[in-house]
Amino acid sequence: MTTIEAVQGDITRESVDAIVNAANSSLLGGGGVDGAIHRRGGPAILEDCRKLRASHYGKGLATGQAVATTAGDLDAHWVIHTVGPVYSATEDRSDLLASCYRESLRVADELGARTVSFPAISTGVYRYPMQDAARIAVDTVRAARTDVEAVRFVLFDAPAYEVFAAQLR
C-alpha cells in the first residue's frame, strides 16, 4: 500500500527516487516548478530533454503523458516530466490532470522508483483551481495500482499545503 503525505517545501530539495516536474510540452524548461527543477538539476536534465525531443518526442510531450530523464544535480535518481492541462471553465479537463498522476506513477514503476514527490500540477500558470487539483491528485494516487511505496505532495506555499492536507484527511 502506498503512503501519501503532503508537505510544504521546495520540491527541488526532495531526497526521493523520482521528482515529478510540471513541465511544458516542449520539455525544454520554463517557469515555476519546471524552471526551478531545470535550474537546480543543472544542464544534464536539459540535455536529456533535448535527446527526447530529437527522438520520440519531436512535437513535444502530449498533455497527460509522462517521460523520465536523469535528475542531474538533484537528490533523486530521475525527473518524471508530465504536462498538465491548462484550466478551462468551459471544458472538463480533469481526466487529463488525473492522467498526469497515473502516467507519472506508471513511469515510476517502469523505473523501479519507490519514492516519488509531486508538485500541484497545473495550479500555477495553467490556473487549475487548487481545490479541484488537490481532489483529482489525491483521488488518482489513492486509486492507482502502483509499486511506489511513498508519494509526497510537495506544496510551495501554506495555502496550497492546507488544501492538499485537508484532502488527505
Side-chain angles (χ1 to χ4, degrees):
M1 178 158 167
T2 304
T3 62
I4 306 169
E5 68 175 332
V7 298
Q8 183 180 343
D10 178 349
I11 197 165
T12 69
R13 299 289 188 189
E14 287 290 292
S15 180
V16 289
D17 293 333
I19 292 173
V20 176
N21 180 21
N24 64 54
S25 63
S26 78
L27 294 175
L28 301 178
V33 169
D34 192 18
I37 286 172
H38 276 268
R39 281 189 301 278
R40 176 92 20 97
I45 296 172
L46 182 58
E47 183 179 326
D48 268 11
C49 286
R50 284 187 173 136
K51 288 177 186 172
L52 288 169
R53 284 298 304 270
S55 61
H56 295 33
Y57 301 96
K59 293 181 180 179
L61 185 64
T63 302
Q65 297 301 302
V67 65
T69 65
T70 182
D73 296 330
L74 297 171
D75 191 12
H77 298 292
W78 305 280
V79 171
I80 299 172
H81 306 266
T82 190
V83 180
V86 174
Y87 178 72
S88 169
T90 59
E91 180 184 344
D92 180 7
R93 297 180 179 167
S94 58
D95 285 348
L96 286 169
L97 184 55
S99 180
C100 291
Y101 292 96
R102 272 193 307 274
E103 287 296 301
S104 293
L105 290 171
R106 180 190 60 76
V107 170
D109 284 340
E110 288 176 359
L111 295 167
R114 294 295 173 255
T115 55
V116 177
S117 288
F118 282 97
I121 297 167
S122 286
T123 61
V125 296
Y126 288 1
R127 301 179 322 277
Y128 222 95
M130 191 63 69
Q131 196 75 39
D132 289 343
R135 177 185 47 77
I136 292 163
V138 170
D139 289 354
T140 302
V141 170
R142 280 183 172 152
R145 300 183 74 153
T146 181
D147 292 325
V148 171
E149 296 167 1
V151 167
R152 181 178 296 140
F153 292 107
V154 181
L155 298 313
F156 190 71
D157 61 23
Y161 165 75
E162 291 299 330
V163 171
F164 271 77
Q167 191 65 43
L168 284 167
R169 287 195 274 277

